[in-house]
Amino acid sequence: MRARPEADQLAARHARPRLRPGRLTEIPDSKVGQLLTLLDRSGLPQQLEDMLRGRPGPPGVPPRTVLAGLMLAVYYTGRATISDAWRILHFRLQPAARAWLGIPESPPSTARGCIAASRRLYRGLDRITTVLDPARCDRRRRMVQAEADIHSAVWDGPSGREAASRLQRLANDLVLVPVRLAQQRGYLRHWKGDVGVDATSIPVLARPDSDRSGTASVEITAGWHYRGGSDEGIFGYSATLLVAAHSRMSEQAAKGRRAPSYPQLCLGLTLDTPTVRTGENAVAVLGRLADLRPPAGTCAADRAYTGCSPEKFQVPARRLGFRLALDYKAADRGIQGSWQGAVLIDGSLACPQIPNALAQATHGMDDKTFRQRLDELKPVVAERLPYFLKLKQNADARGTVRLQCPAAGPSPSVNCPRRERLRPARPSASGPPQTVLRLADRRSRASHPAARPTVQLPDGEWIDPPRKDELPAVCGASAISVPADAAGDLKTAKFRQDSHYLTLAWERIYKPIRSHNEGLNGRLKGAELNIGEPLHRRAPGQVAQTLLVAIMVTVGNLDILETWLYERTGSRLSDTEFESVPAPQDFDPRYVLAPLGTGRHPPGNL
């Protein structure tokens, strides 16, 4: 065997992982066992072993060992790098944990031994990313733009979308394990099913495409992520995060009651090219919640999701059983469309004869003017409320709701001569009921017809009343059906929401949920754990970045759960609680650990 050139040997010595002897504290077997249990209960190691079975080449380090090392590295250092995983696996584990993961009893004692051990871990991660990547390419060099376009186009093809869907499913299997643990132990019993969805930037180390040299980025599927209101982009990926949230209780409901307490965990993750498949990625993580069987709640999303095509986000979200709370851009406020004669105003269907000054009160203002005049708009928005259609029947399995005229029903909110002409009240044998008005009772005063606004009809309708079939359907029918897709009117399907925009009820729903999104981003991009720091996840490629971010979010979920439990009870998660996490349906019992704390060798596939 030929000796390596001196330059290569020098480069190898400089490239080997560095040790900091003062930081080499031992990790207890109990914590290793807990993290291994979370990893095994996700089914991810087992699925990766099945995919790698039969592939050519030496088996190398098992995926279970690679992923466990990365999880330990994130938990103890906040970094998802192979170098940190190598230090922990070979220098910080006790004998029992080494046996669980197939790590040699004694750490490497020479520089060449250290390099060989670290490279085996690198090759183990490379085997995982290779089997999951639909367009594998050499990411140690920049390709010409035409060659990179061929590889990136594979991700948008049928095989690429299938591979991306499998990758996101595996990532969410891991992210949801702490959530299933919290649900199993009853820590989420006060969560009512409200969720917030948001996309956050995931910067990468690679530089973007170069027009000067004609070369593409090493991250061939990355792009520019723009924060709301910013013109400066961040090169990398966009991570769609779903958070368990809740709306703010009304003042009456809050009297004598405490706010619901539960760990605000991340319920789903997708990593994709920025501004591509924004709505589809949100629906993908919403769909995964069906496995948890949460109660039907509200999904709040910012303007990036309001701008999606309705068949990509709004319609599927409604069909999944979620109510929507949305915000609008300046050009989308005011009258947005109509449905069966009812006017769509800022996401709510209203009487077709609503005064135009009320309907267009929010139209034509830019965002800055809109924010400055928000207090002035509140009284005008309150005057709209009586004209909005009333909910007669909640959404069915297909997301269709039934709405009725505001002048209909036992508690009308407006007086409408047209409604009285088309559907007169049936005369009673004892004569008209006597209305008793209690002036001291605010509710009695508000329900009196004199306190309700009266719909102003066109002048010609008083002289020549049109027939019932000549009027809008909402005026003649007892109620109208509004399906989730609102076939024939994309504006209704796109902009309709379930709370009246800018009202106090909307603010109590939308603003707290959005603040929970920002709170989750703050926890996952904090000082100790930061998914937004590219130095903490160096491995290139969308597959590697997805897996590393998923591991970091999983550890972040575990930290949120442990912190929440300790602050309220002063206790920590026990080994028994980790063992109670439900396993996947096709889980291989060979991956189940022995009872934690016993020191026995687990019957894993080592």
Side-chain angles (χ1 to χ4, degrees):
M1 183 175 180
R2 294 172 53 189
R4 286 188 175 183
E6 182 64 27
D8 290 352
Q9 295 185 30
L10 182 62
R13 283 197 295 270
H14 284 292
R16 72 175 184 267
R18 301 291 178 180
L19 291 176
R20 302 179 67 182
R23 299 288 185 91
L24 296 182
T25 56
E26 285 192 334
I27 297 175
D29 289 341
S30 60
K31 180 54 65 178
V32 178
Q34 290 175 355
L35 294 179
L36 270 176
T37 302
L38 288 183
L39 180 60
D40 291 339
R41 289 300 196 274
S42 71
L44 182 57
Q46 176 183 337
Q47 296 183 65
L48 291 175
E49 288 282 4
D50 294 340
M51 294 178 189
L52 291 170
R53 188 174 296 115
R55 292 181 67 88
V61 180
R64 184 172 184 260
T65 303
V66 178
L67 297 176
L70 289 170
M71 285 192 71
L72 288 165
V74 174
Y75 190 87
Y76 283 99
T77 70
R79 299 184 295 270
T81 62
I82 289 294
S83 58
D84 289 292
W86 169 80
R87 294 186 189 97
I88 288 177
L89 291 175
H90 288 276
F91 294 92
R92 297 183 61 180
L93 297 187
Q94 298 179 2
R98 289 174 177 271
W100 295 349
L101 293 169
I103 302 298
E105 294 183 3
S106 58
S109 57
T110 64
R112 290 189 179 275
C114 291
I115 294 173
S118 65
R119 286 184 175 176
R120 282 194 292 269
L121 276 180
Y122 278 109
R123 287 196 295 268
L125 179 62
D126 185 70
R127 292 180 73 240
I128 296 173
T129 57
T130 298
V131 75
L132 293 174
D133 199 333
R136 187 66 176 172
C137 60
D138 186 3
R139 290 187 172 84
R140 294 170 297 182
R141 63 179 181 87
R142 293 172 66 96
M143 297 181 290
V144 296
Q145 190 66 57
E147 183 182 1
D149 290 341
I150 295 174
H151 288 280
S152 61
V154 176
W155 282 86
D156 295 324
S159 61
R161 296 318 309 152
E162 181 181 355
S165 177
R166 179 176 64 244
L167 174 63
Q168 305 298 351
R169 186 184 70 250
L170 294 175
N172 280 278
D173 287 343
L174 184 59
V175 169
L176 287 176
V177 176
V179 180
R180 295 206 304 268
L181 170 59
Q183 188 181 47
Q184 179 77 11
R185 305 304 299 178
Y187 302 142
L188 291 175
R189 61 183 177 274
H190 296 304
W191 175 51
K192 303 303 182 183
D194 294 338
V195 295
V197 62
D198 192 20
T200 186
S201 62
I202 304 294
V204 294
L205 288 175
R207 294 182 179 180
D209 302 342
S210 173
D211 295 333
R212 180 182 60 82
S213 62
T215 56
S217 174
V218 172
E219 299 282 355
I220 59 175
T221 55
W224 291 98
H225 178 101
Y226 292 91
R227 295 190 180 98
S230 175
D231 296 330
E232 184 177 352
I234 299 174
F235 185 73
Y237 297 97
S238 289
T240 302
L241 301 176
L242 196 68
V243 64
H246 65 266
S247 56
R248 190 182 304 118
M249 293 184 293
S250 63
E251 294 181 2
Q252 289 184 340
K255 289 182 179 179
R257 293 178 59 186
R258 300 174 64 181
S261 177
Y262 60 90
Q264 293 176 0
L265 302 170
C266 177
L267 304 176
L269 161 73
T270 60
L271 195 77
D272 206 346
T273 308
T275 70
V276 176
R277 293 175 288 271
T278 301
E280 294 170 280
N281 291 331
V283 171
V285 293
L286 289 173
R288 290 302 305 272
L289 288 184
D291 298 338
L292 302 177
R293 298 181 179 178
T298 299
C299 175
D302 61 11
R303 301 176 185 180
Y305 296 90
T306 308
C308 295
S309 299
E311 65 272 10
K312 302 296 185 182
F313 173 65
Q314 290 89 336
V315 174
R318 291 187 183 279
R319 288 178 175 170
L320 288 172
F322 289 95
R323 299 181 293 274
L324 295 182
L326 307 172
D327 195 9
Y328 304 111
K329 298 178 181 178
D332 296 329
R333 300 190 193 104
I335 296 179
Q336 299 163 326
S338 64
W339 179 258
Q340 296 189 12
V343 184
L344 184 68
I345 302 171
D346 288 337
S348 299
L349 289 170
C351 169
Q353 297 301 321
I354 182 174
N356 189 67
L358 298 181
Q360 296 286 53
T362 58
H363 178 70
M365 288 182 285
D366 56 33
D367 290 336
K368 182 178 180 180
T369 306
F370 180 77
R371 287 190 294 268
Q372 292 175 346
R373 297 185 55 188
L374 194 57
D375 292 337
E376 302 176 18
L377 290 174
K378 293 296 180 65
V380 182
V381 170
E383 292 183 40
R384 289 175 172 178
L385 293 178
Y387 293 92
F388 287 134
L389 303 191
K390 298 183 296 183
L391 180 66
K392 186 176 183 180
Q393 183 178 340
N394 287 321
D396 58 14
R398 296 287 296 171
T400 301
V401 297
R402 296 273 292 170
L403 303 176
Q404 65 178 358
C405 169
S411 301
S413 56
V414 296
N415 304 317
C416 181
R418 178 185 293 174
R419 187 78 183 184
E420 295 171 0
R421 176 176 65 86
L422 295 177
R423 304 178 70 89
R426 295 181 180 180
S428 175
S430 59
Q434 296 182 358
T435 302
V436 178
L437 177 62
R438 296 190 296 273
L439 296 177
D441 185 3
R442 184 178 61 181
R443 186 172 182 179
S444 178
R445 297 197 308 269
S447 62
H448 193 273
R452 299 193 295 261
T454 299
V455 174
Q456 300 299 317
L457 301 181
D459 295 338
E461 188 167 341
W462 294 99
I463 301 173
D464 185 15
R467 299 192 310 271
K468 182 177 180 179
D469 56 357
E470 297 176 348
L471 294 172
V474 67
C475 296
S478 59
I480 61 173
S481 297
V482 186
D485 57 357
D489 189 353
L490 294 179
K491 293 291 185 68
T492 300
K494 182 174 183 177
F495 294 122
R496 185 171 66 88
Q497 59 176 311
D498 296 88
S499 299
H500 301 314
Y501 186 56
L502 297 181
T503 62
L504 183 59
W506 178 85
E507 290 183 346
R508 290 184 183 276
I509 294 173
Y510 184 81
K511 290 185 176 181
I513 295 179
R514 288 292 303 149
S515 68
H516 295 158
N517 270 120
E518 298 301 328
L520 179 66
N521 291 343
R523 291 292 294 268
L524 297 180
K525 291 186 173 182
E528 297 181 1
L529 176 69
N530 188 358
I531 65 173
E533 174 53 65
L535 291 174
H536 292 176
R537 34 174 183 77
R538 292 172 175 271
Q542 183 171 339
V543 174
Q545 290 291 302
T546 300
L547 292 177
L548 297 181
V549 171
I551 291 173
M552 298 180 79
V553 172
T554 303
V555 174
N557 266 347
L558 182 60
D559 179 67
I560 293 172
L561 181 57
E562 289 180 328
T563 303
W564 178 86
L565 184 63
Y566 184 78
E567 289 176 348
R568 281 151 184 81
T569 65
S571 61
R572 304 178 187 273
L573 290 169
S574 64
D575 295 346
T576 305
E577 290 179 301
F578 280 87
E579 291 178 336
S580 67
V581 180
Q585 294 182 355
D586 56 349
F587 186 69
D588 191 337
R590 293 179 299 168
Y591 283 86
V592 179
L593 285 171
L596 301 179
T598 63
R600 296 202 302 269
H601 188 290
N605 189 14
L606 303 176

